Amino acid sequence: MPAPSPGDPSYLAFLSAVVDGAARPLVVMAADGVITWASAGIEDVGGYPPAQIVGTNVLELVHPDDVARLFDTYDYMSSNPRGTYLPSTFRFRHADGTYRPFEVTTRDLRDDPLVGGLVVTMADVSDRALLDEVLESVASGTPLAATLGAIVALLDTQLGERAALVAEPGPDGFAVAVSDDVPLALRGDVPIGIDDEPASPWDAAARSRRPVVLEGLGTLDAGWREPAAAGGFAALWIWPVEHPATGALAACITVWSRRAGPPSPGRRLALQRAVRLVRLALERHAYDAMLLHAARHDPLTGAANRTRFFEELRRIVVDGRRPGPAQPGVHRTDGDAAREAGIEPSSTRAAVLYLDLDGFKAVNDRRGHRVGDLVLQVVTRRIAAQVRPDDLVARFGGDEFAVLCGDLEDKGEAGVIADRLIEAVSRPILVEGDEVAVGASIGIAFVDGRIDDAAPAVLPPTVDALMEAADRALYEVKSAGKGAWRVAAVEA
């Protein structure tokens, strides 16, 4: 049906049905969902000329996963006619074939003879949906790289340009770059940091901690200018991001624009918002890392705790096994199921060194827990200094420690490490001007259950059997006079 004209008596009523005025795209739908009229603005947001969309049933445009909710909305409108309904969000198919979220506000004018339908205003809320995705990612602790990818997707939508988020690789695995749409050669580094390389805009942003805007590419080094020009880019905008916890440079947001000139005020606002979102994501990531560290480390000494030690031990015991040739599909497992599955012994040489301090209780009783805590901290540092970089040092509580040694050259290497540990721990410790002496006794158990390489191969023992064997060996050392180490056979 044609739209009411300004001369019609209900024209003002018709306009009043348009939420936010006539600037938003508008369609009129009959009771059966067929679009009977559309404003010119529908082409701007949906890509369809009004003449093309009129006569189409809305069910042909709505996302299949949203159809049931749309029917629920229609049912409600049928029970509550002549109303103005709160905005709802549905995904509609754009003319380019993609589905985009639209906020829909409806006024029921089916009884109006000049309208005869539902007056629907629509607003593309793609950026709002992407923002919700970013905030949900941050709130739920989604992996950092995925959250950063969502921020870049939001920025791409808001700017209408291609953005990349680049960062100096760090120990926490912070992504080097997040954007498939920007060629690798144009993502930049943070910072370049090579003296004989020409200064780059990323260097300037890294040093000043302020945005760098190149309205044209004429001053850009040819190594950047040429691939940028080949990609059709005409300007470069860089926004640095400082880490919220340390204040150090964490990343740079890089935007290659196809239009020469600076970013508009709206685009600057979007970039500033993106910086805040990245900082928020980094803050959540740091908080999660802190909680994870606290859950897996001893708060007094900083060594791994029992939880982390047993995680790593189970990984070695389970993942070090391989299915036997008769049963290639057997899953790696632990305990009696491995025996039934015919699991062969692991080729990985690994050992548990279970360590108990000699004389520590006397130090604690005479000097108090404060001195005892200092001694434990010193002992932990000494143990860590004597093992190999990839060995795991854990404190089980009290004066009990354990070291997980993997990839040993031979079984004798575990004894060499144990000798070093006993010597290091037994050196006097200076505490508040006085020397304190403790010693160490160690029980050793090998993951493959053999005391030496010449012994017959047996099934890898369970984690419990390993620890029980190491504990037996430690008890035998303590009973025999302390200050030594012993290897125990594992009773798998």
Side-chain angles (χ1 to χ4, degrees):
M1 62 172 285
S5 67
D8 291 327
S10 61
Y11 184 69
L12 293 179
F14 182 81
L15 286 183
S16 69
V18 182
V19 180
D20 291 339
R24 298 178 71 181
L26 174 70
V27 299
V28 177
M29 291 191 306
D32 59 359
V34 174
I35 298 173
T36 59
W37 181 85
S39 70
I42 198 67
E43 187 170 5
D44 296 332
V45 298
Y48 302 99
Q52 179 181 341
I53 203 171
V54 169
T56 302
N57 193 299
V58 70
L59 293 177
E60 299 175 29
L61 301 174
V62 72
H63 191 285
D65 293 343
D66 293 349
V67 168
R69 192 158 51 85
L70 185 63
F71 276 124
D72 287 342
T73 302
Y74 276 172
D75 289 342
Y76 179 82
M77 290 178 180
S78 297
S79 303
N80 299 271
R82 302 293 297 177
T84 299
Y85 308 100
L86 292 177
S88 298
T89 301
F90 294 94
R91 288 167 291 178
F92 291 98
R93 190 179 69 247
H94 191 274
D96 64 10
T98 63
Y99 283 95
R100 302 183 185 182
F102 285 83
E103 184 179 77
V104 174
T105 303
T106 306
R107 174 77 180 272
D108 186 357
L109 293 179
R110 286 175 289 185
D111 293 339
D112 189 309
L114 292 174
V115 180
L118 300 171
V119 179
V120 180
T121 56
M122 306 176 65
D124 188 336
V125 291
S126 297
D127 57 343
R128 189 188 307 171
L130 290 169
L131 178 59
D132 289 344
E133 181 182 339
V134 170
L135 296 177
E136 288 175 7
S137 295
V138 172
S140 62
T142 298
L144 182 61
T147 303
L148 297 179
I151 293 172
V152 170
L154 171 64
L155 197 57
D156 285 349
T157 298
Q158 292 179 329
L159 299 181
E161 306 284 1
R162 299 297 89 187
L165 183 63
V166 296
E168 187 74 11
D172 61 355
F174 188 31
V176 177
V178 184
S179 180
D180 293 333
D181 296 323
V182 175
L184 185 62
L186 296 180
R187 291 178 183 176
D189 296 306
V190 185
I192 297 295
I194 302 176
D195 292 339
D196 58 355
E197 290 285 341
S200 75
W202 292 274
D203 287 311
R207 293 191 182 100
S208 69
R209 306 295 177 86
R210 299 177 67 85
V212 172
V213 174
L214 299 185
E215 299 183 15
L217 303 182
T219 61
L220 199 60
D221 180 80
W224 301 101
R225 185 176 65 252
E226 292 173 1
F233 299 111
L236 173 62
W237 314 326
I238 301 173
W239 254 249
V241 184
E242 294 182 346
H243 198 288
T246 65
L249 182 72
C252 279
I253 296 173
T254 300
V255 179
W256 290 94
S257 174
R258 297 188 182 279
R259 295 183 293 268
S264 66
R267 288 186 170 87
R268 282 183 173 271
L269 184 62
L271 285 161
Q272 292 164 3
R273 183 186 298 113
V275 168
R276 292 195 296 271
L277 289 172
V278 173
R279 286 170 56 85
L280 184 63
L282 290 174
E283 189 171 25
R284 174 57 191 257
H285 178 69
Y287 178 73
D288 288 346
M290 179 189 69
L291 291 180
L292 179 61
H293 185 275
R296 304 175 73 203
H297 290 80
D298 174 51
L300 175 64
T301 64
N305 60 14
R306 295 174 66 97
T307 298
R308 185 181 174 203
F309 183 87
F310 281 107
E311 284 177 357
E312 292 300 312
L313 181 57
R314 288 189 181 93
R315 182 183 61 79
I316 289 179
V317 169
V318 175
D319 293 348
R321 293 171 172 162
R322 59 182 183 275
Q327 304 222 18
V330 174
H331 295 290
R332 293 167 178 168
T333 183
D334 196 8
D336 294 337
R339 297 178 177 83
E340 296 172 1
I343 301 294
E344 293 182 351
S346 169
S347 59
T348 301
R349 304 176 188 272
V352 172
L353 280 63
Y354 197 10
L355 184 150
D356 185 77
L357 299 185
D358 303 327
F360 178 75
K361 184 177 184 302
V363 171
N364 237 5
D365 291 345
R366 290 197 308 268
R367 303 294 300 274
H369 290 290
R370 186 175 66 84
V371 171
D373 288 350
L374 293 174
V375 170
L376 290 173
Q377 291 170 343
V378 172
V379 166
T380 302
R381 291 195 294 269
R382 289 183 176 181
I383 293 173
Q386 299 304 318
V387 300
R388 302 165 306 164
D390 292 335
D391 294 339
L392 180 65
V393 177
R395 180 186 174 216
F396 278 13
D399 59 354
E400 293 183 352
F401 293 81
V403 180
L404 181 57
C405 301
D407 296 322
L408 297 167
E409 292 184 4
D410 53 47
K411 300 299 171 66
E413 189 177 4
V416 172
I417 294 173
D419 283 333
R420 292 203 304 263
L421 292 175
I422 293 170
E423 189 279 328
V425 171
S426 300
R427 294 197 302 268
I429 300 172
L430 188 64
V431 179
E432 297 179 345
D434 295 329
E435 286 189 349
V436 175
V438 294
S441 299
I442 300 175
I444 302 175
F446 292 105
V447 169
D448 65 5
R450 294 183 292 185
I451 295 177
D452 56 60
D453 291 333
V458 296
L459 282 169
T462 65
V463 168
D464 289 342
L466 270 171
M467 296 309 301
E468 289 169 3
D471 188 48
R472 283 198 310 273
L474 174 60
Y475 179 79
E476 292 169 3
V477 171
K478 301 281 266 189
S479 299
K482 305 178 181 179
W485 58 267
R486 179 171 298 185
V487 176
V490 176
E491 298 177 1

